């Protein structure tokens, strides 16, 4: 099977990270916090925590060198039930929900340009089906799609940042440089806003899920994870500043299409429509990256659990086609049945929880001799990551109980399924042991 380069691995990470969150989250954050220092701090803290997490995943990925990410690490270090739950969460929400959200945003941004209703769901379904099809052939096809779409994404967001910095701010804008941040940063709303940020940063660990498809993973994986996370952090902070600079709080607050609002103020109606069109186009890279990574986790689950065996197959080119299409179907169900903000919140809660558990596994691994990556300042950075994430999860549970309990309910459903699957696993283990020489 053809391996992917460090550049393709990095493009998977960048495309996973730069998706719907960076273009939509600030409107929801402004419901709770409005000081510019507070908002930019959110994105800086999110980037720093993602970097700490990237260190841990680079160590774990080069230690195990198996595709599957959280499923592999949690199963091998803690207990198979945690690995099972992480894969279940990834299948039902973690990887499928970002595809659904990106498809919703794709439709929301492109429909006005084409003169269609913003709720034109057939367009969202169509783009998910098309990208699922393109990921069903070879690694070469997937690499080309990912590299080209990610380059377009990077170029586009850089152009937006340059335009936003170049044009003068209107009199009425959302920039508030006062000391109110000192109060905002200790309120529950700040912690809840971190869920939106955490969702926007989701994907900093993406390359670890496909590690056995990467050339020279002991070098390429750390470079892809760490370099991409640092790059995206800088981009995110600059972009949020641009949005706040070019629109008032009242115009942005509670709105999903915040990027269109800000750039409509800069470029006028026609220019705003072009920006909307390009936002939609760059989301292709996001959908592509999640439909690449997610099925590899599901495939790893299917290898070791009989109930999932129908999706354990690969085509002659090493593509887990059945798993790809399972994710496509679930993403379509989510986009047809869920609202944007609710899906974002319960998906963000679950992803935050599973990443927290996985980073915890790195505290119990001893890196193998070279060429395994060793996380710097271990275990201090991991402990900071775990404590901060626990704080965010607790406050999210308190402030958004319905969405949080939805996420927990999804995990409980996976737990029931695991114990239903357990007898099959026991039978499989007994059959294997009976074949061993006595």
């Amino acid at each position: 099977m053809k391996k992917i380069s460090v550049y393709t691995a990095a493009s998977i990470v960048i495309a996973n990270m730069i998706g719907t969150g960076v273009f939509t989250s600030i409107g929801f954050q402004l419901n709770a916090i409005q000081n510019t220092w507070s908002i930019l701090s959110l994105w800086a803290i999110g980037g720093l925590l993602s970097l700490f997490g990237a260190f841990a995943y680079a160590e774990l990925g080069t230690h195990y060198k198996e595709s599957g990410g959280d499923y592999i690490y949690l199963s091998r270090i803690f207990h198979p039930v945690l690995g099972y739950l992480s894969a279940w969460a990834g299948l039902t929400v973690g990887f499928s929900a970002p595809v659904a959200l990106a498809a919703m945003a794709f439709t929301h941004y492109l429909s006005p340009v084409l003169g269609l209703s913003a709720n034109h769901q057939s367009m969202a379904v169509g783009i998910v089906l098309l990208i699922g099809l393109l990921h069903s052939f070879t690694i070469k096809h997937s690499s080309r799609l990912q590299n080209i779409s990610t380059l377009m994404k990077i170029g586009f967001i850089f152009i937006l940042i340059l335009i936003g910095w170049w044009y003068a701010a209107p009199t009425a804008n959302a920039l508030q440089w006062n000391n109110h941040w000192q109060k905002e940063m200790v309120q529950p709303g700040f912690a809840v806003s971190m869920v939106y940020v955490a969702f926007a940063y989701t994907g900093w660990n993406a390359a670890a899920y496909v590690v056995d498809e990467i050339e020279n993973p002991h070098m390429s994986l750390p470079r892809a994870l760490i370099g991409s996370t640092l790059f995206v952090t800088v981009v995110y902070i600059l972009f949020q500043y641009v949005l706040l600079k070019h629109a008032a709080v009242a115009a942005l607050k509670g709105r999903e299409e915040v990027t269109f609002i800000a750039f409509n103020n800069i470029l006028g109606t026609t220019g705003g429509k072009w920006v909307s069109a390009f936002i939609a186009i760059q989301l292709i890279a996001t959908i592509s990256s999640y439909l690449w990574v997610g099925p590899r986790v599901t495939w790893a689950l299917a290898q070791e659990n009989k109930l999932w065996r129908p999706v354990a197959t690969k085509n002659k080119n090493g593509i887990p086609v059945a798993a790809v299409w399972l994710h496509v179907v679930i993403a379509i169900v989510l986009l047809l049945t869920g609202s944007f903000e609710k899906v974002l919140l319960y998906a963000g809660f679950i992803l935050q929880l599973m990443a927290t558990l996985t980073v915890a596994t790195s505290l119990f691994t001893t890196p193998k001799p070279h060429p395994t990556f060793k996380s710097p300042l271990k275990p201090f950075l991991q402990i900071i990551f775990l404590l901060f994430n626990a704080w965010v999860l607790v406050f999210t549970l308190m402030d958004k109980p319905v969405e949080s309990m939805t996420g927990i309910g999804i995990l409980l459903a996976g737990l029931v399924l695991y114990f239903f699957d357990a007898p099959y696993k026991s039978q499989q283990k007994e059959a294997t042991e009976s074949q061993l020489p006595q």
Side-chain angles (χ1 to χ4, degrees):
M1 180 178 68
K2 180 179 172 60
K3 301 282 186 175
I4 62 174
S5 68
V6 63
Y7 303 107
T8 301
S11 75
I12 293 172
V13 176
I14 292 169
N16 261 257
M17 294 176 77
I18 304 178
T20 54
V22 66
F23 297 109
T24 57
S25 296
I26 204 167
F28 303 126
Q29 293 165 0
L30 287 168
N31 286 328
I33 59 172
Q34 296 178 3
N35 185 273
T36 302
W37 290 118
S38 302
I39 291 172
L40 296 184
S41 295
L42 278 173
W43 293 89
I45 292 169
L48 195 61
L49 291 172
S50 298
L51 181 63
F52 296 168
F55 288 148
Y57 270 75
E59 181 174 307
L60 291 165
T62 55
H63 183 92
Y64 288 100
K65 297 184 175 66
E66 296 178 70
S67 288
D70 299 352
Y71 173 76
I72 296 296
Y73 314 145
L74 291 169
S75 296
R76 304 294 186 266
I77 298 173
F78 285 157
H79 192 279
V81 67
L82 289 179
Y84 194 96
L85 289 179
S86 71
W88 166 254
L91 173 64
T92 54
V93 175
F95 296 105
S96 301
V99 172
L101 290 170
M104 289 181 200
F106 177 87
T107 301
H108 201 94
Y109 278 106
L110 190 58
S111 293
V113 179
L114 301 177
L116 301 172
S117 166
N119 296 317
H120 203 70
Q121 292 179 322
S122 60
M123 186 187 299
V125 173
I127 193 64
V128 174
L129 290 172
L130 176 61
I131 295 175
L133 179 64
L134 293 173
H135 275 299
S136 299
F137 298 105
T138 67
I139 290 288
K140 186 176 181 180
H141 281 93
S142 296
S143 295
R144 283 180 178 173
L145 172 63
Q146 197 61 59
N147 290 336
I148 292 170
S149 59
T150 303
L151 282 173
M152 292 173 62
K153 177 191 288 283
I154 292 170
F156 168 68
I157 199 167
F158 265 121
I159 290 171
L160 290 187
I161 289 171
L162 290 173
I163 290 172
W165 278 76
W166 178 263
Y167 278 80
T171 304
N173 62 55
L175 293 174
Q176 297 181 20
W177 304 103
N178 53 48
N179 292 328
H180 193 57
W181 63 269
Q182 297 172 2
K183 294 181 179 179
E184 287 187 342
M185 290 181 70
V186 295
Q187 293 175 353
F190 186 86
V192 174
S193 294
M194 273 302 303
V195 175
Y196 297 109
V197 172
F199 184 84
Y201 275 102
T202 298
W204 49 263
N205 52 2
Y209 292 98
V210 295
V211 65
D212 69 0
E213 296 179 0
I214 301 174
E215 289 180 357
N216 302 318
H218 62 282
M219 294 178 60
S220 298
L221 181 63
R223 289 177 182 176
L225 294 177
I226 296 167
S228 298
T229 301
L230 288 170
F231 171 79
V232 171
T233 299
V234 174
V235 168
Y236 276 5
I237 294 171
L238 294 176
F239 193 74
Q240 302 313 306
Y241 170 78
V242 165
L243 295 181
L244 294 171
K245 178 182 176 182
H246 290 284
V249 170
L252 297 174
K253 188 177 178 181
R255 300 291 293 275
E256 178 185 329
E257 64 278 18
V258 288
T259 303
F260 172 77
I261 293 168
F263 281 88
N264 189 59
N265 291 340
I266 300 172
L267 304 174
T269 303
T270 302
K273 285 186 176 181
W274 278 105
V275 170
S276 287
F278 280 107
I279 290 174
I281 291 169
Q282 67 82 34
L283 286 170
I284 291 172
T286 301
I287 298 170
S288 170
S289 62
Y290 279 100
L291 286 181
W292 186 338
V293 172
R296 271 61 179 181
V297 180
T298 301
W299 180 84
L301 170 71
Q303 290 297 296
E304 300 180 358
N305 297 274
K306 189 173 181 180
L307 286 180
W308 300 95
R309 194 54 53 85
V311 294
T313 59
K314 289 185 176 183
N315 67 10
K316 63 180 181 180
N317 297 308
I319 305 296
V321 178
V324 169
W325 284 95
L326 180 58
H327 279 260
V328 166
V329 169
I330 293 174
I332 290 173
V333 170
L334 288 174
L335 72 87
L336 292 176
T337 58
S339 72
F340 188 93
E341 186 176 7
K342 286 184 178 179
V343 172
L344 192 155
L345 275 169
Y346 70 68
F349 182 85
I350 290 179
L351 291 169
Q352 189 102 346
L353 176 61
M354 301 318 296
T356 301
L357 290 174
T358 303
V359 169
T361 66
S362 69
L363 299 176
F364 299 91
T365 59
T366 302
K368 297 176 182 177
H370 184 80
T372 301
F373 176 81
K374 183 177 180 180
S375 177
L377 299 177
K378 184 179 178 180
F380 301 108
L381 300 186
Q382 286 82 358
I383 291 172
I384 293 171
F385 181 97
L386 296 174
L387 291 175
F388 196 91
N389 275 20
W391 175 67
V392 170
L393 288 167
V394 168
F395 274 105
T396 304
L397 188 60
M398 292 167 56
D399 197 69
K400 299 290 182 181
V402 174
E403 291 83 357
S404 300
M405 292 308 297
T406 299
I408 292 172
I410 290 170
L411 292 178
L412 289 175
L415 185 63
V416 171
L417 196 60
Y418 172 82
F419 286 108
F420 182 70
D421 202 6
Y424 292 106
K425 296 177 74 171
S426 299
Q427 293 169 17
Q428 193 175 27
K429 182 179 179 181
E430 289 171 7
T432 302
E433 291 175 347
S434 66
Q435 296 174 7
L436 296 174
Q438 300 298 317

